[in-house]
Each structure stands twice: as C-alpha cells, then as structure tokens.
Amino acid sequence: MGAASAILLVLVTIFLPPLGVYAIAGCGADLLVNICLTLLGYFPGHLHAFYLEYVYYDRREQTRLGRFSNTRAPGVYSERIQSGGNGYGTIVQPTV
C-alpha cells in the first residue's frame, strides 16, 4: 500500500503541487510556502513539493528500518514531515 499511495501522491503533485503538500503536511507553514512558490511559478512549487515528499518518505523508511534522525531537514516546518508521519508515540529501540 505504501508504494501505491506514493505514486498517487506524485501524480496529484504533478497537476497541483499545493494539494500534494496538503496531503502530507496538512494546513500549515509548508502549505503556505508552497502556495506562494506555485503562484510565483509552476516550477518552484513543484521543486518544493517534491522535496517535502522526499523528506517525508525518506524519514518514514528510515524509521521503519530502526534508524532515527536527530537532525531537522532544512526548509521543512511541519513536524509530521520531519518525523515521517510518526507521531509522538513511544518508540521502542530494536534489539540487536
């Protein structure tokens, strides 16, 4: 299901970048930045949207593999994207 949702999100983002950002970040600073960039030009809005999607899915995959990033991705304001969609729940460290 993860690959299908990512492909659908990319297709949505190709046609309307702010909608793709809203799907992963919700209503916040990232969405406002993307709307402004899209109004300035279609290409900057796409770059920003695809960057946010890359960070979101990369952090999600890293968390699934048990690797946790302490650094914040530059230019990303949403905690949902920074954490890869994982909320403030308890994270159990994997045993080796």
Side-chain angles (χ1 to χ4, degrees), residues 23-81:
I24 60 169
C27 188
D30 286 317
L31 179 62
L32 180 63
V33 168
N34 191 266
I35 289 171
C36 292
L37 287 172
T38 303
L39 291 175
L40 288 174
Y42 205 57
F43 188 66
H46 275 88
L47 285 177
H48 181 255
F50 285 124
Y51 171 69
L52 293 177
E53 290 173 10
Y54 168 75
V55 169
Y56 176 77
Y57 281 107
D58 182 57
R59 299 277 171 118
R60 188 169 152 179
E61 180 67 17
Q62 295 301 324
T63 302
R64 188 184 68 78
L65 295 174
R67 293 182 238 149
F68 308 106
S69 176
N70 292 342
T71 59
R72 296 183 58 82
V76 178
Y77 303 103
S78 170
E79 284 301 320
R80 183 172 180 201
I81 294 175

Side-chain angles (χ1 to χ4, degrees), residues 63 68 83 85-94:
T63 302
F68 308 106
S83 66
N86 298 318
Y88 292 102
T90 305
I91 299 175
V92 177
Q93 295 291 330

Side-chain angles (χ1 to χ4, degrees), residues 6-26:
I7 291 170
L8 181 63
L9 186 61
V10 167
L11 291 175
V12 167
T13 303
I14 288 172
F15 296 110
L16 193 58
L19 189 58
V21 172
Y22 178 74
I24 60 169

